[in-house]
Amino acid sequence: KDTVKGTIDDVAGRAKRQVGEWTGDTGTQVDGAAQQVKGKVEKALGNIKDTARDAANEVDRSHRKTDDPKRP
């Protein structure tokens, strides 16, 4: 969820920054750059959450395998 939102903010910010460059509007350039940074942070946070969730799931699967009394 955070990764997708971050990607959207990153792309939208990049577009806004580019429009600001084309039109010479420094305010739009700054807003776009800020939105890009926000997007990159959201993407990084999403990646960290995904990695933590995947690791927790792997540990859970590992414990279920070793806790199985039918397994030698």
Side-chain angles (χ1 to χ4, degrees):
K1 186 176 177 179
D2 290 319
T3 306
V4 172
K5 186 172 178 351
T7 299
I8 291 168
D9 275 335
D10 184 21
V11 170
R14 189 173 311 156
K16 190 184 289 186
R17 185 177 49 84
Q18 189 63 51
V19 168
E21 288 178 15
W22 290 336
T23 61
D25 185 348
T26 55
T28 302
Q29 287 176 322
V30 169
D31 289 346
Q35 189 172 4
Q36 266 189 286
V37 169
K38 177 184 173 194
K40 289 181 188 305
V41 168
E42 287 170 336
K43 268 197 309 192
L45 181 61
N47 287 335
I48 291 168
K49 287 180 180 180
D50 290 345
T51 301
R53 185 189 62 240
D54 292 346
N57 288 340
E58 183 61 34
V59 167
D60 186 46
R61 280 192 299 271
S62 175
H63 283 146
R64 275 191 260 135
K65 287 179 183 176
T66 58
D67 291 344
D68 186 356
K70 297 176 189 171
R71 256 190 116 167

